[in-house]
mmCIF file of all heavy atoms in Angstrom:
data_model
loop_
_atom_site.group_PDB
_atom_site.id
_atom_site.type_symbol
_atom_site.label_atom_id
_atom_site.label_comp_id
_atom_site.label_asym_id
_atom_site.label_seq_id
_atom_site.Cartn_x
_atom_site.Cartn_y
_atom_site.Cartn_z
ATOM 1 N N LYS A 968 145.833 101.312 115.933
ATOM 2 C CA LYS A 968 145.797 99.914 116.364
ATOM 3 C C LYS A 968 144.561 99.704 117.219
ATOM 4 O O LYS A 968 144.604 99.795 118.440
ATOM 5 C CB LYS A 968 147.074 99.567 117.122
ATOM 6 C CG LYS A 968 148.291 99.612 116.234
ATOM 7 C CD LYS A 968 149.543 99.267 116.988
ATOM 8 C CE LYS A 968 150.729 99.376 116.034
ATOM 9 N NZ LYS A 968 151.977 99.134 116.704
ATOM 10 N N ALA A 969 143.469 99.462 116.519
ATOM 11 C CA ALA A 969 142.179 99.265 117.156
ATOM 12 C C ALA A 969 141.359 98.361 116.245
ATOM 13 O O ALA A 969 141.711 98.173 115.077
ATOM 14 C CB ALA A 969 141.473 100.615 117.342
ATOM 15 N N PRO A 970 140.260 97.804 116.746
ATOM 16 C CA PRO A 970 139.418 96.975 115.888
ATOM 17 C C PRO A 970 138.932 97.753 114.657
ATOM 18 O O PRO A 970 138.789 98.977 114.699
ATOM 19 C CB PRO A 970 138.238 96.612 116.797
ATOM 20 C CG PRO A 970 138.761 96.774 118.184
ATOM 21 C CD PRO A 970 139.757 97.881 118.116
ATOM 22 N N LYS A 971 138.672 97.041 113.583
ATOM 23 C CA LYS A 971 138.234 97.670 112.325
ATOM 24 C C LYS A 971 137.026 98.583 112.516
ATOM 25 O O LYS A 971 137.008 99.682 111.964
ATOM 26 C CB LYS A 971 137.928 96.612 111.259
ATOM 27 C CG LYS A 971 139.132 95.816 110.844
ATOM 28 C CD LYS A 971 140.041 96.618 109.960
ATOM 29 C CE LYS A 971 141.180 95.723 109.480
ATOM 30 N NZ LYS A 971 142.327 96.446 109.048
ATOM 31 N N PRO A 972 136.006 98.203 113.292
ATOM 32 C CA PRO A 972 134.868 99.125 113.465
ATOM 33 C C PRO A 972 135.283 100.453 114.118
ATOM 34 O O PRO A 972 134.768 101.511 113.762
ATOM 35 C CB PRO A 972 133.895 98.352 114.354
ATOM 36 C CG PRO A 972 134.250 96.915 114.152
ATOM 37 C CD PRO A 972 135.743 96.899 113.906
ATOM 38 N N VAL A 973 136.228 100.411 115.049
ATOM 39 C CA VAL A 973 136.728 101.637 115.685
ATOM 40 C C VAL A 973 137.468 102.472 114.647
ATOM 41 O O VAL A 973 137.275 103.692 114.564
ATOM 42 C CB VAL A 973 137.632 101.325 116.898
ATOM 43 C CG1 VAL A 973 138.265 102.596 117.458
ATOM 44 C CG2 VAL A 973 136.860 100.585 117.971
ATOM 45 N N GLN A 974 138.283 101.824 113.837
ATOM 46 C CA GLN A 974 139.016 102.530 112.792
ATOM 47 C C GLN A 974 138.061 103.216 111.814
ATOM 48 O O GLN A 974 138.272 104.369 111.438
ATOM 49 C CB GLN A 974 139.919 101.561 112.022
ATOM 50 C CG GLN A 974 141.067 101.014 112.839
ATOM 51 C CD GLN A 974 141.883 100.017 112.045
ATOM 52 O OE1 GLN A 974 142.049 100.147 110.844
ATOM 53 N NE2 GLN A 974 142.396 99.005 112.724
ATOM 54 N N ARG A 975 137.019 102.493 111.394
ATOM 55 C CA ARG A 975 136.056 103.076 110.437
ATOM 56 C C ARG A 975 135.365 104.303 111.019
ATOM 57 O O ARG A 975 135.237 105.326 110.364
ATOM 58 C CB ARG A 975 135.029 102.030 110.017
ATOM 59 C CG ARG A 975 135.533 101.078 108.955
ATOM 60 C CD ARG A 975 134.399 100.248 108.365
ATOM 61 N NE ARG A 975 133.843 99.309 109.323
ATOM 62 C CZ ARG A 975 134.327 98.091 109.566
ATOM 63 N NH1 ARG A 975 135.382 97.661 108.915
ATOM 64 N NH2 ARG A 975 133.745 97.312 110.452
ATOM 65 N N MET A 976 134.912 104.196 112.266
ATOM 66 C CA MET A 976 134.225 105.338 112.882
ATOM 67 C C MET A 976 135.196 106.497 113.064
ATOM 68 O O MET A 976 134.846 107.649 112.818
ATOM 69 C CB MET A 976 133.602 104.935 114.218
ATOM 70 C CG MET A 976 132.859 106.087 114.907
ATOM 71 S SD MET A 976 131.522 106.832 113.916
ATOM 72 C CE MET A 976 130.268 105.569 114.087
ATOM 73 N N HIS A 977 136.401 106.215 113.479
ATOM 74 C CA HIS A 977 137.434 107.234 113.658
ATOM 75 C C HIS A 977 137.618 108.018 112.360
ATOM 76 O O HIS A 977 137.605 109.250 112.350
ATOM 77 C CB HIS A 977 138.730 106.530 114.092
ATOM 78 C CG HIS A 977 139.875 107.429 114.374
ATOM 79 N ND1 HIS A 977 140.829 107.721 113.425
ATOM 80 C CD2 HIS A 977 140.242 108.081 115.499
ATOM 81 C CE1 HIS A 977 141.737 108.515 113.958
ATOM 82 N NE2 HIS A 977 141.410 108.753 115.212
ATOM 83 N N ARG A 978 137.778 107.312 111.243
ATOM 84 C CA ARG A 978 137.945 107.968 109.934
ATOM 85 C C ARG A 978 136.701 108.764 109.546
ATOM 86 O O ARG A 978 136.805 109.870 109.022
ATOM 87 C CB ARG A 978 138.267 106.938 108.842
ATOM 88 C CG ARG A 978 139.694 106.469 108.857
ATOM 89 C CD ARG A 978 140.038 105.658 107.616
ATOM 90 N NE ARG A 978 139.149 104.526 107.414
ATOM 91 C CZ ARG A 978 139.348 103.304 107.908
ATOM 92 N NH1 ARG A 978 140.417 103.059 108.615
ATOM 93 N NH2 ARG A 978 138.496 102.330 107.663
ATOM 94 N N ALA A 979 135.519 108.205 109.791
ATOM 95 C CA ALA A 979 134.272 108.884 109.428
ATOM 96 C C ALA A 979 134.107 110.189 110.216
ATOM 97 O O ALA A 979 133.694 111.217 109.660
ATOM 98 C CB ALA A 979 133.069 107.966 109.662
ATOM 99 N N ILE A 980 134.422 110.161 111.496
ATOM 100 C CA ILE A 980 134.325 111.368 112.326
ATOM 101 C C ILE A 980 135.292 112.429 111.801
ATOM 102 O O ILE A 980 134.927 113.595 111.643
ATOM 103 C CB ILE A 980 134.616 111.055 113.816
ATOM 104 C CG1 ILE A 980 133.530 110.156 114.406
ATOM 105 C CG2 ILE A 980 134.741 112.349 114.621
ATOM 106 C CD1 ILE A 980 133.904 109.557 115.762
ATOM 107 N N MET A 981 136.521 112.015 111.538
ATOM 108 C CA MET A 981 137.516 112.983 111.065
ATOM 109 C C MET A 981 137.121 113.596 109.717
ATOM 110 O O MET A 981 137.281 114.789 109.509
ATOM 111 C CB MET A 981 138.890 112.335 110.997
ATOM 112 C CG MET A 981 139.440 112.044 112.390
ATOM 113 S SD MET A 981 141.105 111.415 112.388
ATOM 114 C CE MET A 981 142.020 112.823 111.817
ATOM 115 N N ALA A 982 136.594 112.783 108.823
ATOM 116 C CA ALA A 982 136.190 113.295 107.508
ATOM 117 C C ALA A 982 135.038 114.287 107.634
ATOM 118 O O ALA A 982 135.046 115.353 107.004
ATOM 119 C CB ALA A 982 135.805 112.144 106.591
ATOM 120 N N ALA A 983 134.055 113.979 108.461
ATOM 121 C CA ALA A 983 132.927 114.894 108.644
ATOM 122 C C ALA A 983 133.385 116.183 109.326
ATOM 123 O O ALA A 983 132.922 117.272 108.984
ATOM 124 C CB ALA A 983 131.817 114.220 109.447
ATOM 125 N N ALA A 984 134.299 116.073 110.277
ATOM 126 C CA ALA A 984 134.821 117.263 110.958
ATOM 127 C C ALA A 984 135.618 118.131 109.994
ATOM 128 O O ALA A 984 135.525 119.356 110.028
ATOM 129 C CB ALA A 984 135.678 116.873 112.159
ATOM 130 N N ARG A 985 136.384 117.502 109.116
ATOM 131 C CA ARG A 985 137.166 118.252 108.134
ATOM 132 C C ARG A 985 136.248 119.130 107.272
ATOM 133 O O ARG A 985 136.589 120.230 106.894
ATOM 134 C CB ARG A 985 137.950 117.297 107.240
ATOM 135 C CG ARG A 985 138.747 118.006 106.144
ATOM 136 C CD ARG A 985 139.121 117.090 104.996
ATOM 137 N NE ARG A 985 137.939 116.522 104.402
ATOM 138 C CZ ARG A 985 137.803 115.241 104.072
ATOM 139 N NH1 ARG A 985 138.769 114.392 104.285
ATOM 140 N NH2 ARG A 985 136.697 114.811 103.528
ATOM 141 N N ASP A 986 135.042 118.620 106.989
ATOM 142 C CA ASP A 986 134.084 119.340 106.160
ATOM 143 C C ASP A 986 133.120 120.207 106.972
ATOM 144 O O ASP A 986 132.235 120.835 106.397
ATOM 145 C CB ASP A 986 133.263 118.343 105.332
ATOM 146 C CG ASP A 986 134.114 117.565 104.355
ATOM 147 O OD1 ASP A 986 135.198 118.055 103.981
ATOM 148 O OD2 ASP A 986 133.702 116.464 103.959
ATOM 149 N N CYS A 987 133.284 120.236 108.303
ATOM 150 C CA CYS A 987 132.324 120.909 109.184
ATOM 151 C C CYS A 987 130.895 120.459 108.869
ATOM 152 O O CYS A 987 129.955 121.248 108.893
ATOM 153 C CB CYS A 987 132.441 122.431 109.093
ATOM 154 S SG CYS A 987 133.824 123.084 110.037
ATOM 155 N N ASP A 988 130.740 119.179 108.602
ATOM 156 C CA ASP A 988 129.423 118.610 108.334
ATOM 157 C C ASP A 988 128.857 118.140 109.674
ATOM 158 O O ASP A 988 128.920 116.965 110.018
ATOM 159 C CB ASP A 988 129.534 117.468 107.331
ATOM 160 C CG ASP A 988 128.175 116.988 106.848
ATOM 161 O OD1 ASP A 988 127.152 117.302 107.511
ATOM 162 O OD2 ASP A 988 128.128 116.303 105.816
ATOM 163 N N PHE A 989 128.337 119.084 110.425
ATOM 164 C CA PHE A 989 127.876 118.812 111.776
ATOM 165 C C PHE A 989 126.655 117.899 111.796
ATOM 166 O O PHE A 989 126.480 117.127 112.736
ATOM 167 C CB PHE A 989 127.618 120.118 112.526
ATOM 168 C CG PHE A 989 128.860 120.956 112.630
ATOM 169 C CD1 PHE A 989 128.945 122.176 111.995
ATOM 170 C CD2 PHE A 989 129.965 120.505 113.328
ATOM 171 C CE1 PHE A 989 130.095 122.941 112.072
ATOM 172 C CE2 PHE A 989 131.128 121.251 113.412
ATOM 173 C CZ PHE A 989 131.191 122.477 112.779
ATOM 174 N N GLU A 990 125.829 117.963 110.753
ATOM 175 C CA GLU A 990 124.691 117.058 110.667
ATOM 176 C C GLU A 990 125.189 115.614 110.514
ATOM 177 O O GLU A 990 124.659 114.695 111.134
ATOM 178 C CB GLU A 990 123.767 117.438 109.506
ATOM 179 C CG GLU A 990 122.929 118.673 109.760
ATOM 180 C CD GLU A 990 123.710 119.986 109.689
ATOM 181 O OE1 GLU A 990 124.818 120.020 109.096
ATOM 182 O OE2 GLU A 990 123.215 120.982 110.243
ATOM 183 N N ARG A 991 126.194 115.414 109.677
ATOM 184 C CA ARG A 991 126.760 114.078 109.499
ATOM 185 C C ARG A 991 127.396 113.607 110.804
ATOM 186 O O ARG A 991 127.240 112.446 111.194
ATOM 187 C CB ARG A 991 127.810 114.082 108.370
ATOM 188 C CG ARG A 991 128.532 112.777 108.192
ATOM 189 C CD ARG A 991 127.650 111.733 107.541
ATOM 190 N NE ARG A 991 128.403 110.511 107.338
ATOM 191 C CZ ARG A 991 127.945 109.308 107.650
ATOM 192 N NH1 ARG A 991 126.727 109.164 108.122
ATOM 193 N NH2 ARG A 991 128.682 108.257 107.455
ATOM 194 N N LEU A 992 128.108 114.478 111.498
ATOM 195 C CA LEU A 992 128.683 114.103 112.793
ATOM 196 C C LEU A 992 127.583 113.661 113.759
ATOM 197 O O LEU A 992 127.724 112.642 114.438
ATOM 198 C CB LEU A 992 129.469 115.272 113.390
ATOM 199 C CG LEU A 992 130.858 115.517 112.813
ATOM 200 C CD1 LEU A 992 131.410 116.851 113.302
ATOM 201 C CD2 LEU A 992 131.806 114.379 113.164
ATOM 202 N N GLU A 993 126.499 114.414 113.805
ATOM 203 C CA GLU A 993 125.409 114.040 114.708
ATOM 204 C C GLU A 993 124.815 112.688 114.310
ATOM 205 O O GLU A 993 124.545 111.849 115.172
ATOM 206 C CB GLU A 993 124.324 115.113 114.725
ATOM 207 C CG GLU A 993 123.212 114.777 115.698
ATOM 208 C CD GLU A 993 122.262 115.926 115.957
ATOM 209 O OE1 GLU A 993 122.427 117.021 115.395
ATOM 210 O OE2 GLU A 993 121.314 115.713 116.744
ATOM 211 N N ARG A 994 124.622 112.452 113.012
ATOM 212 C CA ARG A 994 124.097 111.153 112.563
ATOM 213 C C ARG A 994 125.035 110.016 112.969
ATOM 214 O O ARG A 994 124.579 108.956 113.405
ATOM 215 C CB ARG A 994 123.881 111.140 111.048
ATOM 216 C CG ARG A 994 122.620 111.855 110.608
ATOM 217 C CD ARG A 994 122.274 111.588 109.160
ATOM 218 N NE ARG A 994 123.347 111.879 108.223
ATOM 219 C CZ ARG A 994 123.596 113.067 107.686
ATOM 220 N NH1 ARG A 994 122.851 114.099 107.996
ATOM 221 N NH2 ARG A 994 124.592 113.213 106.823
ATOM 222 N N LEU A 995 126.341 110.231 112.826
ATOM 223 C CA LEU A 995 127.304 109.209 113.235
ATOM 224 C C LEU A 995 127.154 108.883 114.723
ATOM 225 O O LEU A 995 127.230 107.725 115.126
ATOM 226 C CB LEU A 995 128.740 109.663 112.942
ATOM 227 C CG LEU A 995 129.157 109.697 111.481
ATOM 228 C CD1 LEU A 995 130.499 110.415 111.325
ATOM 229 C CD2 LEU A 995 129.229 108.290 110.903
ATOM 230 N N GLY A 996 126.950 109.911 115.525
ATOM 231 C CA GLY A 996 126.790 109.700 116.959
ATOM 232 C C GLY A 996 125.490 109.015 117.326
ATOM 233 O O GLY A 996 125.438 108.235 118.275
ATOM 234 N N ARG A 997 124.459 109.266 116.568
ATOM 235 C CA ARG A 997 123.144 108.724 116.919
ATOM 236 C C ARG A 997 122.828 107.396 116.233
ATOM 237 O O ARG A 997 121.815 106.781 116.538
ATOM 238 C CB ARG A 997 122.071 109.747 116.599
ATOM 239 C CG ARG A 997 122.200 110.992 117.469
ATOM 240 C CD ARG A 997 120.974 111.864 117.359
ATOM 241 N NE ARG A 997 121.131 113.132 118.012
ATOM 242 C CZ ARG A 997 120.968 113.353 119.311
ATOM 243 N NH1 ARG A 997 120.662 112.367 120.112
ATOM 244 N NH2 ARG A 997 121.111 114.563 119.807
#
């Protein structure tokens, strides 16, 4: 229960973490 942009980022972080795609995680943060 959060705004759609928060939900999208939340899902994107979890998906990248599931794959240990640390470069993608860093791009999401930056």
Side-chain angles (χ1 to χ4, degrees):
K968 294 180 182 177
K971 296 285 185 201
V973 174
Q974 292 177 34
R975 280 192 292 275
M976 180 58 76
H977 182 265
R978 282 191 305 270
I980 294 167
M981 290 185 68
R985 177 200 58 225
D986 296 336
C987 281
D988 189 343
F989 300 114
E990 286 74 19
R991 175 74 178 133
L992 282 169
E993 182 168 0
R994 282 192 306 274
L995 288 169
R997 295 192 188 278

